[in-house]
Amino acid sequence: MALIDAVRAANHQPTWRVFLDGQPVRALEGSVDLGFDTASAAASVTLAALPSGLANNGLRAQLEIRLGWNGYTTPSFRGWVEDVSFELWPASVELKAAGYLKQTQYQYPNTLSYASSTDLAIVADLLSKAGVPDYSVEGEGTTSLGTLQPVTLSAGSPVFDLINRLDQLWGYKTFDSRDGVVLRRLISGVPSETAAFSYVQGQPSGAQ
């Protein structure tokens, strides 16, 4: 069935596909929790058995879930398996996975200090140090932070703590996307110093 025919079809058959380290697997059930308002994306799938040749029983393997209908799917989750549990009866394996932003939420062993750096540069460096493999960072990007006193993250603190502080300062949010890329995007505006419109009595609305 062509895509246009699938769109026009009266009935849509749900389709989902699961991959472990790029290898398709047959999943019995699963769930995805993802959005910019979550600390990190999460997913779980239940398999009848693990595929052969999978290292460490699937621990740290990449898990990808694609959802759609009539055979057409789009990425809905991509992350790494952080927990594997086995059920004896009925025999099954449950995999619990996290988005890559989860890697910023573990304690970082060293103190980090930033001087004369923008929010964009700091967040990008923090994601890199946390081991996030792929990210797309936007930011205010012009104001230099740490000119009078360095911006610091204490040893033993998660790097996400500093990311979140900078996000709140500028109205941004850092979150997991459906395809595994960690995004930082503006979600609330900071008022401009100048008005977008000026209104004058007797003139059309929005006249400048």
Side-chain angles (χ1 to χ4, degrees):
M1 180 183 292
L3 177 58
I4 187 63
D5 296 325
V7 173
R8 293 173 176 171
N11 298 311
H12 292 153
Q13 179 66 38
T15 302
W16 79 310
R17 295 192 174 97
V18 179
F19 300 84
L20 273 175
D21 278 346
Q23 180 179 351
V25 295
R26 183 175 178 272
L28 304 177
E29 61 182 7
S31 64
V32 173
D33 182 17
L34 179 146
F36 74 87
D37 57 343
T38 60
S40 65
S44 67
V45 295
T46 301
L47 314 177
L50 288 174
S52 59
L54 198 63
N56 301 318
N57 286 329
L59 199 63
R60 302 295 297 184
Q62 184 188 80
L63 176 69
E64 180 180 359
I65 299 176
R66 300 179 63 91
L67 302 176
W69 35 261
N70 293 358
Y72 294 93
T73 61
T74 187
S76 294
F77 174 86
R78 184 178 294 153
W80 53 278
V81 176
E82 61 176 349
D83 183 70
V84 182
S85 58
F86 296 86
E87 292 291 335
L88 296 179
W89 186 261
S92 62
V93 184
E94 184 182 23
L95 307 178
K96 294 182 179 179
Y100 291 108
L101 186 62
K102 182 70 174 287
Q103 297 184 186
T104 68
Q105 296 165 23
Y106 300 112
Q107 292 180 338
Y108 194 78
N110 305 320
T111 297
L112 297 176
S113 181
Y114 299 92
S116 301
S117 300
T118 65
D119 67 312
L120 194 153
I122 295 173
V123 171
D125 186 67
L126 290 170
L127 292 174
S128 177
K129 282 182 166 58
V132 175
D134 197 4
Y135 50 85
S136 173
V137 174
E138 295 180 358
E140 191 273 341
T142 58
T143 302
S144 185
L145 304 174
T147 54
L148 299 179
Q149 182 176 349
V151 177
T152 61
L153 177 76
S154 301
S157 299
V159 300
F160 186 75
D161 286 357
L162 182 50
I163 292 174
N164 192 46
R165 281 158 49 196
L166 294 174
D167 285 353
Q168 293 180 359
L169 179 63
W170 298 112
Y172 283 79
K173 189 71 175 181
T174 304
F175 58 97
D176 285 306
S177 68
R178 298 182 304 163
D179 59 1
V181 180
V182 171
L183 303 179
R184 184 177 192 250
R185 296 292 184 265
L186 183 67
I187 62 168
S188 62
V190 177
S192 172
E193 294 180 357
T194 58
F197 297 98
S198 60
Y199 296 89
V200 179
Q201 184 177 0
Q203 293 187 4
S205 176
Q208 296 187 0

